[in-house]
Amino acid sequence: MKKLIRIFLFLILLSPVKLLAQDNRFSGWGALFHTQRFGQHWGLSFDAQFRSFDEFKYLQHILLRPSVNYYFDGNKMAALGYAYITTNGRDAAGSKTFRPESRTWQQLIINNKIGKISTLQHRFRLEQRFLGNTTNRNDHYFSQRLRYFARAVIPFKKDSTFVKGPFIGLQNEIFVNVQNKEKVNKHFFDQNRAYVAFGYRLHKKIDVEVGYLNQYVKQAEAYFFNHVIQTAIYTRF
């Protein structure tokens, strides 16, 4: 367990060491993640996220993402979903801009236990991105992106079951462009998100957490680091 924590902390702390003279941004994200299971095999998921721009100047992104889930083999789940994302921005003159994005996506989740009560989740997601025209610009395009996500939940308690109490959340997600990268950032690598959080399980079906997320974003000719304070609520029914 200590080795796992060290690996995740290394991923989270490695990037900031390199960025002292680079472009740094600071923002806040809020998120709700809900999973609704209807039986042995079928269920639904939904998440809503709200993300600010640098230094909390304005609401940059709203993301709404539902999916249909299929559970199998005891610890696996396949999903087919849709996402709608709004992106608000500012042009060089300071005028407001807006770009909508629709996505279809497919994913596989594998859940494993670490020891008696800690958990490790692997998620593989392929998403098709349909980006609409930006305000005053006719530049819609299509691309595909692959994402790999790993998340560990490590309770403070050493009981045989974990239904209530504090925990540490550690996760990392890498994004790569697999189609039409020239329209995105001209690179195979897109971004990485490393995250560490303190959480509390209010009930076996409800978690709340607050954490720090380090987002490294590759652009066409440069890159930037976004330092994010994230609050999240997880519900499972």
Side-chain angles (χ1 to χ4, degrees), residues 112-131:
N112 295 309
K113 275 195 171 183
I114 311 170
K116 292 183 178 180
I117 55 174
S118 298
T119 59
L120 176 62
Q121 181 183 95
H122 302 276
R123 186 181 72 200
F124 306 87
R125 178 181 293 169
L126 177 66
E127 55 188 14
Q128 299 77 43
R129 308 178 65 194
F130 303 86
L131 287 99

PDB file of all heavy atoms in Angstrom, residues 112-131:
ATOM      1  N   ASN A 112     -10.762  -3.358  -8.800  1.00  0.00           N
ATOM      2  CA  ASN A 112     -10.016  -4.357  -8.044  1.00  0.00           C
ATOM      3  C   ASN A 112      -9.866  -3.904  -6.600  1.00  0.00           C
ATOM      4  O   ASN A 112      -9.848  -2.709  -6.302  1.00  0.00           O
ATOM      5  CB  ASN A 112      -8.625  -4.571  -8.646  1.00  0.00           C
ATOM      6  CG  ASN A 112      -8.687  -5.173 -10.035  1.00  0.00           C
ATOM      7  OD1 ASN A 112      -9.347  -6.186 -10.248  1.00  0.00           O
ATOM      8  ND2 ASN A 112      -7.994  -4.564 -10.989  1.00  0.00           N
ATOM      9  N   LYS A 113      -9.739  -4.870  -5.715  1.00  0.00           N
ATOM     10  CA  LYS A 113      -9.454  -4.571  -4.316  1.00  0.00           C
ATOM     11  C   LYS A 113      -7.956  -4.600  -4.080  1.00  0.00           C
ATOM     12  O   LYS A 113      -7.227  -5.386  -4.677  1.00  0.00           O
ATOM     13  CB  LYS A 113     -10.142  -5.587  -3.403  1.00  0.00           C
ATOM     14  CG  LYS A 113     -11.583  -5.246  -3.086  1.00  0.00           C
ATOM     15  CD  LYS A 113     -12.088  -6.066  -1.915  1.00  0.00           C
ATOM     16  CE  LYS A 113     -13.462  -5.568  -1.471  1.00  0.00           C
ATOM     17  NZ  LYS A 113     -13.948  -6.310  -0.271  1.00  0.00           N
ATOM     18  N   ILE A 114      -7.505  -3.706  -3.194  1.00  0.00           N
ATOM     19  CA  ILE A 114      -6.116  -3.693  -2.745  1.00  0.00           C
ATOM     20  C   ILE A 114      -6.153  -3.989  -1.255  1.00  0.00           C
ATOM     21  O   ILE A 114      -6.622  -3.167  -0.471  1.00  0.00           O
ATOM     22  CB  ILE A 114      -5.447  -2.342  -3.000  1.00  0.00           C
ATOM     23  CG1 ILE A 114      -5.674  -1.873  -4.420  1.00  0.00           C
ATOM     24  CG2 ILE A 114      -3.967  -2.400  -2.679  1.00  0.00           C
ATOM     25  CD1 ILE A 114      -5.244  -0.452  -4.667  1.00  0.00           C
ATOM     26  N   GLY A 115      -5.690  -5.143  -0.866  1.00  0.00           N
ATOM     27  CA  GLY A 115      -5.815  -5.511   0.527  1.00  0.00           C
ATOM     28  C   GLY A 115      -7.270  -5.812   0.864  1.00  0.00           C
ATOM     29  O   GLY A 115      -8.046  -6.285   0.042  1.00  0.00           O
ATOM     30  N   LYS A 116      -7.676  -5.461   2.104  1.00  0.00           N
ATOM     31  CA  LYS A 116      -9.020  -5.817   2.565  1.00  0.00           C
ATOM     32  C   LYS A 116     -10.087  -4.837   2.095  1.00  0.00           C
ATOM     33  O   LYS A 116     -11.187  -5.233   1.704  1.00  0.00           O
ATOM     34  CB  LYS A 116      -9.037  -5.913   4.087  1.00  0.00           C
ATOM     35  CG  LYS A 116      -8.220  -7.080   4.646  1.00  0.00           C
ATOM     36  CD  LYS A 116      -8.338  -7.150   6.156  1.00  0.00           C
ATOM     37  CE  LYS A 116      -7.559  -8.339   6.714  1.00  0.00           C
ATOM     38  NZ  LYS A 116      -7.659  -8.414   8.200  1.00  0.00           N
ATOM     39  N   ILE A 117      -9.796  -3.538   2.138  1.00  0.00           N
ATOM     40  CA  ILE A 117     -10.864  -2.566   1.865  1.00  0.00           C
ATOM     41  C   ILE A 117     -10.498  -1.480   0.860  1.00  0.00           C
ATOM     42  O   ILE A 117     -11.377  -0.796   0.352  1.00  0.00           O
ATOM     43  CB  ILE A 117     -11.344  -1.895   3.177  1.00  0.00           C
ATOM     44  CG1 ILE A 117     -10.164  -1.265   3.916  1.00  0.00           C
ATOM     45  CG2 ILE A 117     -12.065  -2.878   4.064  1.00  0.00           C
ATOM     46  CD1 ILE A 117     -10.569  -0.472   5.143  1.00  0.00           C
ATOM     47  N   SER A 118      -9.238  -1.269   0.566  1.00  0.00           N
ATOM     48  CA  SER A 118      -8.858  -0.267  -0.428  1.00  0.00           C
ATOM     49  C   SER A 118      -9.235  -0.770  -1.826  1.00  0.00           C
ATOM     50  O   SER A 118      -9.268  -1.979  -2.073  1.00  0.00           O
ATOM     51  CB  SER A 118      -7.360   0.025  -0.365  1.00  0.00           C
ATOM     52  OG  SER A 118      -7.013   0.557   0.896  1.00  0.00           O
ATOM     53  N   THR A 119      -9.506   0.162  -2.740  1.00  0.00           N
ATOM     54  CA  THR A 119      -9.920  -0.206  -4.091  1.00  0.00           C
ATOM     55  C   THR A 119      -9.072   0.516  -5.136  1.00  0.00           C
ATOM     56  O   THR A 119      -8.570   1.618  -4.890  1.00  0.00           O
ATOM     57  CB  THR A 119     -11.401   0.134  -4.333  1.00  0.00           C
ATOM     58  OG1 THR A 119     -11.609   1.545  -4.135  1.00  0.00           O
ATOM     59  CG2 THR A 119     -12.300  -0.658  -3.405  1.00  0.00           C
ATOM     60  N   LEU A 120      -8.927  -0.115  -6.275  1.00  0.00           N
ATOM     61  CA  LEU A 120      -8.221   0.480  -7.413  1.00  0.00           C
ATOM     62  C   LEU A 120      -9.080   0.285  -8.647  1.00  0.00           C
ATOM     63  O   LEU A 120      -9.465  -0.841  -8.982  1.00  0.00           O
ATOM     64  CB  LEU A 120      -6.860  -0.178  -7.612  1.00  0.00           C
ATOM     65  CG  LEU A 120      -6.054   0.292  -8.838  1.00  0.00           C
ATOM     66  CD1 LEU A 120      -5.723   1.785  -8.718  1.00  0.00           C
ATOM     67  CD2 LEU A 120      -4.779  -0.532  -8.985  1.00  0.00           C
ATOM     68  N   GLN A 121      -9.386   1.383  -9.324  1.00  0.00           N
ATOM     69  CA  GLN A 121     -10.214   1.341 -10.527  1.00  0.00           C
ATOM     70  C   GLN A 121      -9.391   1.722 -11.745  1.00  0.00           C
ATOM     71  O   GLN A 121      -8.663   2.715 -11.729  1.00  0.00           O
ATOM     72  CB  GLN A 121     -11.390   2.315 -10.390  1.00  0.00           C
ATOM     73  CG  GLN A 121     -12.318   2.331 -11.586  1.00  0.00           C
ATOM     74  CD  GLN A 121     -13.438   3.349 -11.447  1.00  0.00           C
ATOM     75  OE1 GLN A 121     -13.339   4.474 -11.920  1.00  0.00           O
ATOM     76  NE2 GLN A 121     -14.511   2.955 -10.755  1.00  0.00           N
ATOM     77  N   HIS A 122      -9.519   0.932 -12.808  1.00  0.00           N
ATOM     78  CA  HIS A 122      -8.933   1.237 -14.108  1.00  0.00           C
ATOM     79  C   HIS A 122     -10.072   1.585 -15.059  1.00  0.00           C
ATOM     80  O   HIS A 122     -11.070   0.860 -15.119  1.00  0.00           O
ATOM     81  CB  HIS A 122      -8.160   0.034 -14.670  1.00  0.00           C
ATOM     82  CG  HIS A 122      -7.057  -0.448 -13.794  1.00  0.00           C
ATOM     83  ND1 HIS A 122      -5.800   0.113 -13.803  1.00  0.00           N
ATOM     84  CD2 HIS A 122      -7.024  -1.438 -12.865  1.00  0.00           C
ATOM     85  CE1 HIS A 122      -5.032  -0.516 -12.934  1.00  0.00           C
ATOM     86  NE2 HIS A 122      -5.749  -1.456 -12.347  1.00  0.00           N
ATOM     87  N   ARG A 123      -9.894   2.661 -15.833  1.00  0.00           N
ATOM     88  CA  ARG A 123     -10.926   3.055 -16.788  1.00  0.00           C
ATOM     89  C   ARG A 123     -10.287   3.368 -18.133  1.00  0.00           C
ATOM     90  O   ARG A 123      -9.348   4.172 -18.212  1.00  0.00           O
ATOM     91  CB  ARG A 123     -11.692   4.289 -16.284  1.00  0.00           C
ATOM     92  CG  ARG A 123     -12.885   4.665 -17.159  1.00  0.00           C
ATOM     93  CD  ARG A 123     -13.572   5.908 -16.626  1.00  0.00           C
ATOM     94  NE  ARG A 123     -12.783   7.115 -16.850  1.00  0.00           N
ATOM     95  CZ  ARG A 123     -12.948   8.251 -16.180  1.00  0.00           C
ATOM     96  NH1 ARG A 123     -13.844   8.324 -15.208  1.00  0.00           N
ATOM     97  NH2 ARG A 123     -12.205   9.306 -16.450  1.00  0.00           N
ATOM     98  N   PHE A 124     -10.805   2.749 -19.178  1.00  0.00           N
ATOM     99  CA  PHE A 124     -10.348   2.984 -20.545  1.00  0.00           C
ATOM    100  C   PHE A 124     -11.514   3.600 -21.318  1.00  0.00           C
ATOM    101  O   PHE A 124     -12.583   2.991 -21.405  1.00  0.00           O
ATOM    102  CB  PHE A 124      -9.920   1.675 -21.212  1.00  0.00           C
ATOM    103  CG  PHE A 124      -8.889   0.899 -20.425  1.00  0.00           C
ATOM    104  CD1 PHE A 124      -9.278   0.006 -19.428  1.00  0.00           C
ATOM    105  CD2 PHE A 124      -7.537   1.071 -20.679  1.00  0.00           C
ATOM    106  CE1 PHE A 124      -8.333  -0.718 -18.700  1.00  0.00           C
ATOM    107  CE2 PHE A 124      -6.582   0.360 -19.964  1.00  0.00           C
ATOM    108  CZ  PHE A 124      -6.992  -0.534 -18.967  1.00  0.00           C
ATOM    109  N   ARG A 125     -11.307   4.797 -21.874  1.00  0.00           N
ATOM    110  CA  ARG A 125     -12.406   5.491 -22.563  1.00  0.00           C
ATOM    111  C   ARG A 125     -11.953   5.979 -23.939  1.00  0.00           C
ATOM    112  O   ARG A 125     -10.914   6.629 -24.058  1.00  0.00           O
ATOM    113  CB  ARG A 125     -12.894   6.686 -21.735  1.00  0.00           C
ATOM    114  CG  ARG A 125     -13.997   7.499 -22.404  1.00  0.00           C
ATOM    115  CD  ARG A 125     -14.419   8.692 -21.555  1.00  0.00           C
ATOM    116  NE  ARG A 125     -15.073   8.260 -20.323  1.00  0.00           N
ATOM    117  CZ  ARG A 125     -15.344   9.076 -19.307  1.00  0.00           C
ATOM    118  NH1 ARG A 125     -15.003  10.358 -19.375  1.00  0.00           N
ATOM    119  NH2 ARG A 125     -15.953   8.613 -18.217  1.00  0.00           N
ATOM    120  N   LEU A 126     -12.759   5.678 -24.952  1.00  0.00           N
ATOM    121  CA  LEU A 126     -12.565   6.216 -26.295  1.00  0.00           C
ATOM    122  C   LEU A 126     -13.700   7.182 -26.556  1.00  0.00           C
ATOM    123  O   LEU A 126     -14.877   6.823 -26.418  1.00  0.00           O
ATOM    124  CB  LEU A 126     -12.569   5.094 -27.334  1.00  0.00           C
ATOM    125  CG  LEU A 126     -12.439   5.531 -28.799  1.00  0.00           C
ATOM    126  CD1 LEU A 126     -11.069   6.160 -29.060  1.00  0.00           C
ATOM    127  CD2 LEU A 126     -12.689   4.356 -29.749  1.00  0.00           C
ATOM    128  N   GLU A 127     -13.361   8.421 -26.945  1.00  0.00           N
ATOM    129  CA  GLU A 127     -14.406   9.409 -27.171  1.00  0.00           C
ATOM    130  C   GLU A 127     -14.273  10.060 -28.535  1.00  0.00           C
ATOM    131  O   GLU A 127     -13.167  10.337 -29.011  1.00  0.00           O
ATOM    132  CB  GLU A 127     -14.416  10.472 -26.070  1.00  0.00           C
ATOM    133  CG  GLU A 127     -13.106  11.188 -25.827  1.00  0.00           C
ATOM    134  CD  GLU A 127     -13.146  12.080 -24.593  1.00  0.00           C
ATOM    135  OE1 GLU A 127     -14.071  11.954 -23.769  1.00  0.00           O
ATOM    136  OE2 GLU A 127     -12.231  12.900 -24.453  1.00  0.00           O
ATOM    137  N   GLN A 128     -15.443  10.277 -29.149  1.00  0.00           N
ATOM    138  CA  GLN A 128     -15.529  10.958 -30.441  1.00  0.00           C
ATOM    139  C   GLN A 128     -15.998  12.385 -30.171  1.00  0.00           C
ATOM    140  O   GLN A 128     -17.072  12.588 -29.598  1.00  0.00           O
ATOM    141  CB  GLN A 128     -16.509  10.240 -31.376  1.00  0.00           C
ATOM    142  CG  GLN A 128     -16.119   8.800 -31.708  1.00  0.00           C
ATOM    143  CD  GLN A 128     -16.416   7.806 -30.595  1.00  0.00           C
ATOM    144  OE1 GLN A 128     -17.477   7.846 -29.973  1.00  0.00           O
ATOM    145  NE2 GLN A 128     -15.469   6.928 -30.326  1.00  0.00           N
ATOM    146  N   ARG A 129     -15.210  13.349 -30.597  1.00  0.00           N
ATOM    147  CA  ARG A 129     -15.452  14.750 -30.263  1.00  0.00           C
ATOM    148  C   ARG A 129     -15.962  15.513 -31.492  1.00  0.00           C
ATOM    149  O   ARG A 129     -15.301  15.544 -32.529  1.00  0.00           O
ATOM    150  CB  ARG A 129     -14.172  15.405 -29.740  1.00  0.00           C
ATOM    151  CG  ARG A 129     -13.514  14.639 -28.598  1.00  0.00           C
ATOM    152  CD  ARG A 129     -12.229  15.325 -28.159  1.00  0.00           C
ATOM    153  NE  ARG A 129     -12.490  16.644 -27.573  1.00  0.00           N
ATOM    154  CZ  ARG A 129     -11.561  17.554 -27.349  1.00  0.00           C
ATOM    155  NH1 ARG A 129     -10.291  17.297 -27.692  1.00  0.00           N
ATOM    156  NH2 ARG A 129     -11.869  18.712 -26.807  1.00  0.00           N
ATOM    157  N   PHE A 130     -17.123  16.126 -31.352  1.00  0.00           N
ATOM    158  CA  PHE A 130     -17.713  16.934 -32.408  1.00  0.00           C
ATOM    159  C   PHE A 130     -17.730  18.377 -31.899  1.00  0.00           C
ATOM    160  O   PHE A 130     -18.612  18.763 -31.127  1.00  0.00           O
ATOM    161  CB  PHE A 130     -19.129  16.456 -32.734  1.00  0.00           C
ATOM    162  CG  PHE A 130     -19.204  15.004 -33.127  1.00  0.00           C
ATOM    163  CD1 PHE A 130     -19.317  14.010 -32.160  1.00  0.00           C
ATOM    164  CD2 PHE A 130     -19.159  14.632 -34.466  1.00  0.00           C
ATOM    165  CE1 PHE A 130     -19.394  12.668 -32.515  1.00  0.00           C
ATOM    166  CE2 PHE A 130     -19.232  13.287 -34.824  1.00  0.00           C
ATOM    167  CZ  PHE A 130     -19.354  12.304 -33.853  1.00  0.00           C
ATOM    168  N   LEU A 131     -16.755  19.167 -32.310  1.00  0.00           N
ATOM    169  CA  LEU A 131     -16.630  20.539 -31.823  1.00  0.00           C
ATOM    170  C   LEU A 131     -17.305  21.497 -32.782  1.00  0.00           C
ATOM    171  O   LEU A 131     -17.010  21.509 -33.983  1.00  0.00           O
ATOM    172  CB  LEU A 131     -15.151  20.910 -31.635  1.00  0.00           C
ATOM    173  CG  LEU A 131     -14.520  20.223 -30.419  1.00  0.00           C
ATOM    174  CD1 LEU A 131     -13.728  19.006 -30.848  1.00  0.00           C
ATOM    175  CD2 LEU A 131     -13.641  21.179 -29.647  1.00  0.00           C
TER     176      LEU A 131
END
